[in-house]
Amino acid sequence: MPAPDSIEQDVTDPAPAVPSFADLGLAAPVLKALKDVGYETPSAIQAATIPTLLAGRDVVGRAQTGTGKTAAFALPILSRLDLAQSAPQALVLAPTRELALQVCEAFESYAAHLKGVSILPVYGGQGYGQQLSALRRGVHIVVGTPGRIMDHLEKGTLDLSELKYLVLDEADEMLKMGFAEDVATILADTPDTKQVALFSATMPSQIRRISQQYLHDPEEITVATTTTTSATITQRYLVVSYPQKIDALTRILEVENFEGVIVFVRTKNETETLAEKLRARGYTAAAISGDVAQAQREKTVNQLRSGKLDILVATDVAARGLDVERISHVVNYDLPIDTESYVHRIGRTGRAGRSGEAISFVTPRERRMLTSIERATHQPLTQMQLPTAEDVNATRLGRFDDGITAALEQTDRIARFRDIIAHYVEHHDVPEADVAAALAVVAQGDTPLLLSPEDDRKERFERFDVDRPDRGSTSERRSRSSSSGPRTTYRLDVGRRQRVEPRQIIGALANEGGLTRDDFGGIDIRQDFSLIELPVDLSGDVLDKLSGTRISGQLIKLRRDGGPLRRAGGTGDRPRRPQRDR
Ligand code: AMP
């Protein structure tokens, strides 16, 4: 057993040996970019997938958002890209435009040191012009939604004859959104020699069939995750969007009774940035990551142990095995990329038989990761709400009172000041209570003691519907909720005869027309047509685009109908709102 409080990994708390990115066989410019973005080690899915893809094998990866699957396929593609080839060599299919854009952004950042690489997002709702001119100039990687990719293929504007890599990202979501046929067509109509990587959070039989039919002897990669966490650790989570995290953390630190805290972030760069922000807010905080030399890390950990430091901002690697009794709280500022890391992280608290608190920030798109953590640890996490201004004020007032009580205990010093105050009261004719208040003003300085209700409004933390994970950013959500105006009924020429389902209709309209979830009202699917409630003021452009959209191969000819939607007693089907923009 190592000495207590060692920062070395201890045997009671083993962490698996993790390969480094350099061990995986990635190209030098890609490794350089990874250094820039600050990832320390590959996530489990990356460690398993990257060598397999680099070796040229097809992969079926069971992985969801938040596990690092984007880098798992992007890094091997970028490592093998032939920059001299102008016809697209990699195609990534994603269910929604948000995901397509995210994937593009990830590719861009990992390609930062690959000169001249061109990555094109292609999704519905965006003008063709820009896409066409980029395609004409030549692109290396195309990331798009299946519907729009099919359009380009049908128009002959996208040449996939030299495709080498095809990725199906969130395959289960693509099928749910009615893209099965498009995906199958794209798989069938691209060179048989291409390498295919399919990622999916779930493996319904339809995905197995696709994989059997179109993939060549794929390696199935599932990251096993069954672990247990200590019952002495209370686990909570807070749903928060990324930009709100720092304020959420500050409020939590205000109301929680903490001694030592470890705040976990994903990247080395973020450790220093966040520690700096916390110091600016008056906390004693320091950063440790794999980049910090061992001697310095030990010094920092000793400061945490002795109480000179209260908050340590760390990456997984830097804090692995760290054993400091004083740690009362672990905050997962960023969720870890796998459940095992979660268990290792929260095991930093509740040491030596003490109880501990683990608080995880979950962005709306990470809800699935949360479910996996709960499943893997066999423990539900309790949702917490952001402390309100009132909660914060109650703790501030409590602390203020405690400060007075503690000062009153210093009887000698109190006695000396009592005379000075008495002198002041006598010569200024001011009640003692006012003098006490004036001293509080002096002690407090310019910072207000209490938050105002406005602070709550300013920082209004949105509440998210548990059953409706949402990928959009906060600003997108805001614009969406404000966009729902009066709706009217529209008709489209597909119905039960075509076996159409509400989600296909929503998927197609959202994808092609750039409609958002607040735009959709009820749907009534009849034998040969369907009625759907959409905004009254759909522009001519959007209507034109939508009337030319196909569902299950059939032109839908969307047009205003104006008739009532059949609801109660009919076969009308209130659609599940789409989960996101498509
Ligand atoms: P993904 O599952 O691909 O959506 O990735 C989830 C998040 O993890 C993204 O914000 C990535 O930037 C981040 N990420 C991916 N791989 C790593 C890694 N090896 N270390 C730290 N962060 C990572």
Side-chain angles (χ1 to χ4, degrees):
M1 208 43 191
D5 291 351
S6 157
I7 66 162
E8 298 302 329
Q9 192 182 309
D10 71 42
V11 282
T12 57
D13 202 350
V18 196
S20 72
F21 278 113
D23 295 334
L24 300 180
L26 294 165
V30 173
L31 287 174
K32 197 161 169 220
L34 286 174
K35 211 169 162 43
D36 294 348
V37 291
Y39 297 170
E40 266 192 326
T41 43
S43 70
I45 190 83
Q46 290 163 0
T49 309
I50 292 172
T52 311
L53 286 178
L54 285 175
R57 263 189 87 172
D58 285 0
V59 161
V60 171
R62 188 157 184 167
Q64 62 208 27
T65 294
T67 54
K69 68 176 162 51
T70 316
F73 61 77
L75 302 176
I77 290 177
L78 289 169
S79 288
R80 291 172 298 165
L81 215 53
D82 174 3
L83 291 171
Q85 177 180 324
S86 64
Q89 49 197 297
L91 171 66
V92 180
L93 294 178
T96 66
R97 70 169 148 193
E98 266 88 27
L99 185 61
L101 286 169
Q102 268 169 33
V103 169
C104 271
E105 270 169 36
F107 264 104
E108 300 275 1
S109 66
Y110 305 140
H113 296 288
L114 284 169
K115 280 213 172 53
V117 64
S118 141
I119 302 150
L120 181 70
V122 168
Y123 50 82
Q126 184 197 31
Y128 277 93
Q130 212 183 336
Q131 296 173 2
L132 288 176
S133 52
L135 286 169
R136 265 195 297 269
R137 275 196 307 275
V139 295
H140 300 111
I141 300 164
V142 177
V143 184
T145 48
R148 182 54 73 96
I149 296 287
M150 277 301 292
D151 281 354
H152 277 287
L153 289 176
E154 278 162 11
K155 288 194 169 79
T157 43
L158 175 64
D159 170 16
L160 293 181
S161 62
E162 291 178 51
L163 195 73
K164 293 179 185 156
Y165 314 110
L166 176 60
V167 179
L168 310 180
D169 196 7
E170 299 200 353
D172 48 355
E173 288 291 314
M174 285 200 277
L175 299 195
K176 269 192 213 154
M177 294 179 53
F179 287 135
E181 221 173 290
D182 291 345
V183 169
T185 311
I186 295 167
L187 274 161
D189 289 355
T190 41
D192 196 39
T193 49
K194 69 187 173 289
Q195 181 182 32
V196 184
L198 180 157
F199 290 91
S200 193
T202 57
M203 283 293 157
S205 54
Q206 209 180 353
I207 295 211
R208 297 224 164 270
R209 270 201 304 280
I210 287 183
S211 143
Q212 276 155 14
Q213 195 171 348
Y214 298 104
L215 276 64
H216 299 300
D217 183 28
E219 177 156 331
E220 293 218 9
I221 296 176
T222 306
V223 180
T225 46
T226 313
T227 21
T228 48
T229 46
S230 158
T232 59
I233 303 171
T234 311
Q235 301 174 60
R236 288 174 286 168
Y237 71 94
L238 176 75
V239 178
V240 67
S241 73
Y242 189 81
Q244 296 164 331
K245 284 186 180 184
I246 179 67
D247 290 318
L249 178 60
T250 323
R251 283 200 178 193
I252 286 171
L253 291 173
E254 285 233 32
V255 301
E256 291 284 318
N257 219 343
F258 68 85
E259 272 190 86
V261 184
I262 301 198
V263 181
F264 280 98
V265 294
R266 274 207 185 139
T267 65
K268 295 188 256 191
N269 308 350
E270 181 78 1
T271 53
E272 205 26 78
T273 323
L274 182 58
E276 185 54 51
K277 284 185 188 157
L278 289 171
R279 285 195 291 268
R281 284 165 158 80
Y283 295 100
T284 53
I288 54 169
S289 70
D291 272 1
V292 176
Q294 176 76 5
Q296 178 60 39
R297 270 156 66 184
E298 267 170 26
K299 200 167 142 207
T300 309
V301 171
N302 278 330
Q303 288 176 334
L304 179 69
R305 190 173 298 136
S306 67
K308 266 200 204 123
L309 190 68
D310 287 330
I311 304 175
L312 200 60
V313 186
T315 53
D316 293 88
V317 169
R320 194 164 287 149
L322 190 141
D323 190 2
V324 174
E325 272 186 36
R326 218 182 131 243
I327 297 171
S328 58
H329 285 68
V330 164
V331 177
N332 289 314
Y333 193 82
D334 298 321
L335 272 189
I337 29 190
D338 46 54
T339 50
E340 240 173 60
S341 306
Y342 176 84
V343 174
H344 283 290
R345 284 178 176 193
I346 73 163
R348 298 311 100 219
T349 182
R351 310 295 293 179
R354 291 186 174 200
S355 61
E357 301 284 334
I359 297 174
S360 298
F361 287 177
V362 179
T363 62
R365 62 176 295 236
E366 289 171 331
R367 279 209 176 267
R368 282 224 219 133
M369 186 66 188
L370 176 70
T371 317
S372 328
I373 288 173
E374 291 182 322
R375 214 178 290 138
T377 57
H378 303 296
Q379 278 193 356
L381 273 63
T382 316
Q383 181 164 18
M384 67 186 284
Q385 298 301 334
L386 186 85
T388 59
E390 210 179 309
D391 300 332
V392 171
N393 289 344
T395 6
R396 287 190 185 178
L397 287 172
R399 254 188 244 129
F400 185 81
D401 289 357
D402 292 346
I404 297 175
T405 312
L408 284 171
E409 278 162 16
Q410 301 186 38
T411 43
D412 286 355
R413 295 184 71 194
I414 290 291
R416 280 199 294 278
F417 276 112
R418 193 180 290 127
D419 288 346
I420 297 172
I421 300 297
H423 182 266
Y424 186 95
V425 169
E426 198 180 316
H427 287 85
H428 292 83
D429 192 22
V430 182
E432 286 183 346
D434 282 7
V435 178
L439 290 174
V441 170
V442 174
Q444 186 66 26
D446 288 338
T447 329
L449 173 65
L450 300 179
L451 293 178
S452 70
E454 252 83 272
D455 288 306
D456 261 354
R457 275 195 285 281
K458 251 194 308 192
E459 293 189 7
R460 176 143 26 96
F461 284 77
E462 297 178 47
R463 299 188 195 290
F464 302 98
D465 182 344
V466 183
D467 299 324
R468 202 187 293 161
D470 193 328
R471 268 175 188 289
S473 68
T474 315
S475 58
E476 281 159 353
R477 269 194 305 278
R478 284 206 187 102
S479 69
R480 257 181 247 175
S481 44
S482 59
S483 78
S484 64
R487 299 193 188 97
T488 187
T489 311
Y490 291 74
R491 172 192 284 253
L492 56 161
D493 285 357
V494 280
R496 275 204 299 282
R497 197 186 295 283
Q498 287 78 27
R499 297 217 180 92
V500 69
E501 291 185 35
R503 62 180 181 224
Q504 276 173 285
I505 297 180
I506 291 168
L509 299 187
N511 197 36
E512 288 306 308
L515 299 183
T516 63
R517 75 172 181 211
D518 292 300
D519 292 327
F520 292 90
I523 293 188
D524 177 4
I525 299 188
R526 309 216 184 156
Q527 188 62 17
D528 291 304
F529 64 94
S530 303
L531 298 173
I532 181 165
E533 289 172 333
L534 295 172
V536 172
D537 55 356
L538 279 188
S539 73
D541 262 8
V542 171
L543 258 182
D544 279 354
K545 201 176 298 161
L546 291 180
S547 65
T549 296
R550 286 173 193 274
I551 294 178
S552 300
Q554 171 131 347
L555 265 184
I556 63 170
K557 299 195 194 141
L558 185 88
R559 58 208 178 271
R560 269 197 193 91
D561 182 87
L565 206 62
R566 196 164 46 178
R567 286 195 192 277
T571 50
D573 192 353
R574 181 88 192 163
R576 247 182 62 221
R577 294 284 173 85
Q579 296 180 340
R580 46 187 104 143
D581 259 349
R582 269 138 218 158

